[in-house]
Amino acid sequence: ARMLAATAVMALGLVGAMNPLRPWLNGSQLEVVGALALLVFGGLIVYTIAASLFRVVRIEEIREGLRRRSGI
């Protein structure tokens, strides 16, 4: 249930970001790519924060996972 709540928060954030980005989404190929990149990274940030707030995952676990992957 908590993961579903974090996902819903992310979805609402992405839907909310669509209107301000609409000119870019209807623009040139470069603008579309930029808008999609903003949506992807924005969604990742919103989900990470929401998942932490809903205690789906702890920020320390995310950091540890990133360190393991990068070899740091």
Side-chain angles (χ1 to χ4, degrees), residues 11-69:
L12 288 172
L14 291 173
V15 169
M18 291 289 289
N19 277 337
L21 291 176
R22 193 159 311 281
W24 287 11
L25 291 168
N26 294 322
S28 69
Q29 187 174 6
L30 183 61
E31 290 172 326
V32 171
V33 169
L36 291 176
L38 285 172
L39 288 171
V40 168
F41 290 112
L44 175 65
I45 291 167
V46 169
Y47 183 80
T48 300
I49 292 169
S52 177
L53 291 174
F54 288 117
R55 297 179 190 227
V56 174
V57 66
R58 293 188 337 256
I59 294 292
E60 294 80 27
E61 292 173 349
I62 296 170
R63 286 184 185 146
E64 183 180 307
L66 290 173
R67 263 189 247 126
R68 246 187 270 135
R69 275 198 159 163

